Amino acid sequence: MKSKFSLIPESAEEKKYIKSLEDLLKKKRHGDWKLVSEMIDIPTASVEKAFFRVYQKNHFETVSALEKVINNRKELIKQ
């Protein structure tokens, strides 16, 4: 199966990172890209592209913001 990510993992660390990104994608819900877009102030289409283009501009900001969105949703559900 071809990966959506621009990185072809060569080390165990990179494989682990790609796995963590895939896990984030499984937790992502409809509308999350829009929330991330508002958080980091870049267009929604660019947010999704930045997520899949590992080590490129805005990638780490996008991943961090998506993690925050998912964690905030989990916290709200617990309440």
Side-chain angles (χ1 to χ4, degrees):
M1 183 171 92
K2 184 171 176 2
S3 176
K4 291 182 177 182
F5 297 99
S6 65
L7 174 73
I8 298 171
E10 296 178 2
S11 68
E13 187 175 302
E14 287 178 343
K15 288 178 184 177
K16 185 177 178 182
Y17 184 67
I18 293 294
K19 176 72 172 129
S20 71
L21 293 177
E22 290 170 346
D23 291 342
L24 270 178
L25 274 180
K26 290 177 185 175
K27 295 174 185 175
K28 186 191 82 57
R29 299 287 183 244
H30 181 76
D32 284 354
W33 290 137
K34 177 128 177 73
L35 291 172
V36 170
S37 170
E38 292 170 0
M39 289 173 70
I40 62 176
D41 197 33
I42 61 174
T44 306
S46 298
V47 166
E48 188 172 358
K49 287 178 186 175
F51 182 82
F52 289 108
R53 293 179 179 167
V54 181
Y55 298 134
Q56 301 299 315
K57 183 179 178 182
N58 298 320
H59 172 75
F60 295 107
E61 294 87 355
T62 300
V63 171
S64 176
L66 182 60
E67 287 173 339
K68 287 178 186 175
V69 167
I70 291 169
N71 289 335
N72 286 343
R73 181 176 38 253
K74 284 182 183 178
E75 290 299 317
L76 288 172
I77 290 172
K78 286 181 184 178
Q79 292 179 356

